[in-house]
Amino acid sequence: MPELPEVETTVRYLKDKIIGQKIVGLDFDTPNLIKKPSPEELKRQIVGKKITKIERKGKNILIYLNQDYLLLIHQKLTGHLLYGKWQKEKGKWLPQEKNSPLFLDRQNRFIHFLLFLANGKMLALSDLRKFAKIIFAKKEEVLNSDDLKTLGPEPLSKEFTLAYFQKICQKSNKPIKTLLMDQKLISGIGNIYSDEILWQAKISPLRKANSLKEKEIKVIYQKIKVVLKEAIKLQGTSIVDYRKPDGAKGEMDKFLKVYRKEGQKCPRCQGIIKRVVINGRSAHFCPKCQK
DNA sequence: CGATTCCCCTGATAGC
DNA sequence: TGCTATCAGGGGAATC
């Protein structure tokens, strides 16, 4: 699923390809993805506008348009943006290049939303589960909406200090995994990287945040940065649905230590990796070396 | 206010 | 073989 590193990879890839491009058309087959405005209104308003900027906030993709408009895309579980050319066959959008991952990898074949650009290329949203969220409005309105303004600090930014992390840990009686995934406290970390961060830090995901010692908090803090940076460098994890905008997989899969590895041996201590449900999410960890 | 449950959706998988 | 039940999972809403 797209978390901070995957969204960052997507934004970096698209930056020099779509900035300056005018949107010349729009197509969709799942109106429910478009939360605001109505799909008809969106089509009427977005066509003709030019893309001026693209950035990431937490797990959200922000595509800025001229006349102070902003398109927000949250990919949720299985959504990912793709860049290429598609053609409609029997009501379904199919990629034109038959030997590209856009065509060969089935995860890229669930196209539900398409923007046509002036350069002849398209920006498409593939989303198997149809959970993604699309919002289009005036820039100020989107930036001041709950979708964005409730987000906590970016974990790789200066604002995310050790003192801040210590403070939120001490104040929370929740499991540390739940805290790491709380977008209001830290933005961008999801199920994959919370598991991986805690494995690297040798801390059990079940530990209550306010039970952590100062030294442990510091290690987790450091591992947040290390793991996210490594994942960005490797262009994300494609173990499930995520793909880069060219349809190819990220390289982070083979560096994962615990996520989706229930029953396998811990690469550090040979303990058996366990899966438990925390706050409705599956958590993977090694009970032998994560305390 | 915080904690819990439900819901959105559909492919994969297990059970029969 | 093929049908049905169950599950994953980010985040928001409803409920306790």
Side-chain angles (χ1 to χ4, degrees):
Chain A
M1 63 222 71
E3 303 178 29
L4 186 153
E6 288 74 28
V7 181
E8 183 67 24
T9 301
T10 298
V11 166
R12 287 185 188 180
Y13 180 98
L14 291 175
K15 207 163 245 174
D16 57 317
K17 302 199 170 51
I18 66 167
I19 289 178
Q21 287 299 316
K22 188 191 267 191
I23 294 168
V24 296
L26 166 73
D27 194 70
F28 57 86
D29 68 359
T30 308
N32 281 348
L33 301 185
I34 304 167
K35 307 301 175 190
K36 194 194 287 183
S38 70
E40 297 73 27
E41 185 74 359
L42 171 63
K43 191 166 194 168
R44 206 172 60 75
Q45 290 197 24
I46 203 170
V47 173
K49 294 207 167 47
K50 192 187 261 186
I51 297 169
T52 57
K53 182 169 125 182
I54 176 168
E55 67 174 352
R56 177 189 64 74
K57 275 198 194 302
K59 301 177 193 173
N60 298 276
I61 296 171
L62 304 185
I63 298 175
Y64 291 79
L65 302 155
N66 62 350
Q67 298 172 12
D68 285 326
Y69 279 90
L70 179 50
L71 180 70
L72 178 153
I73 299 173
H74 193 305
Q75 308 175 106
K76 295 284 183 79
L77 295 172
T78 58
H80 50 283
L81 284 184
L82 298 169
Y83 180 76
K85 284 188 177 184
W86 286 262
Q87 61 203 359
K88 212 166 196 176
E89 282 175 27
K90 294 173 189 162
K92 208 170 154 48
W93 286 98
L94 294 175
Q96 286 188 6
E97 302 157 56
K98 303 286 188 242
N99 55 356
S100 100
L102 293 177
F103 184 87
L104 298 171
D105 188 331
R106 62 185 303 287
Q107 286 305 331
N108 294 325
R109 300 288 293 279
F110 303 94
I111 305 291
H112 298 302
F113 181 84
L114 270 160
L115 290 176
F116 306 100
L117 305 178
N119 65 0
K121 300 269 191 163
M122 302 162 197
L123 189 60
L125 175 69
S126 177
D127 186 8
L128 185 153
R129 295 273 189 281
K130 299 182 176 177
F131 278 6
K133 172 174 80 177
I134 297 168
I135 292 170
F136 174 83
K138 279 283 188 180
K139 185 172 77 180
E140 292 310 313
E141 186 185 336
V142 181
L143 293 176
N144 290 319
S145 68
D146 275 356
D147 298 292
L148 296 179
K149 78 169 183 207
T150 61
L151 288 177
E154 288 286 336
L156 296 179
S157 75
K158 290 195 293 282
E159 288 70 43
F160 183 66
T161 61
L162 177 58
Y164 170 79
F165 187 56
Q166 280 167 339
K167 193 183 77 187
I168 61 173
C169 285
Q170 285 157 7
K171 272 176 35 184
S172 173
N173 193 35
K174 290 175 183 165
I176 181 63
K177 178 181 170 73
T178 304
L179 182 141
L180 290 177
M181 291 174 64
D182 187 339
Q183 302 302 298
K184 292 184 175 66
L185 299 176
I186 312 168
S187 59
I189 299 173
N191 216 24
I192 298 174
Y193 296 111
S194 55
D195 278 358
E196 294 298 316
I197 288 162
L198 292 170
W199 183 86
Q200 293 284 349
K202 300 189 187 176
I203 299 291
S204 163
L206 294 157
R207 281 282 295 282
K208 294 281 164 65
N210 58 13
S211 80
L212 294 165
K213 300 190 189 91
E214 204 165 310
K215 208 172 162 186
E216 294 174 321
I217 293 175
K218 193 172 178 183
V219 175
I220 298 170
Y221 176 80
Q222 288 164 344
K223 296 303 182 187
I224 289 172
K225 307 231 176 203
V226 169
V227 170
L228 293 178
K229 281 182 189 168
E230 176 76 358
I232 290 172
K233 205 167 97 189
L234 295 170
Q235 306 198 315
T237 299
S238 292
I239 193 167
V240 194
D241 304 272
Y242 170 73
R243 300 295 183 269
K244 294 187 278 179
D246 61 0
K249 293 185 178 186
E251 302 292 323
M252 187 67 186
D253 293 23
K254 37 187 169 298
F255 292 87
L256 297 182
K257 309 300 183 192
V258 284
Y259 181 72
R260 290 226 174 179
K261 294 188 187 293
E262 184 184 15
Q264 296 182 36
K265 277 186 182 168
C266 169
R268 183 167 51 210
C269 77
Q270 310 297 306
I272 300 300
I273 293 163
K274 202 176 160 186
R275 186 182 85 94
V276 295
V277 174
I278 302 176
N279 197 34
R281 299 284 170 262
S282 54
H284 311 78
F285 71 109
C286 173
K288 197 172 161 193
C289 64
Q290 287 178 255
K291 298 299 176 190

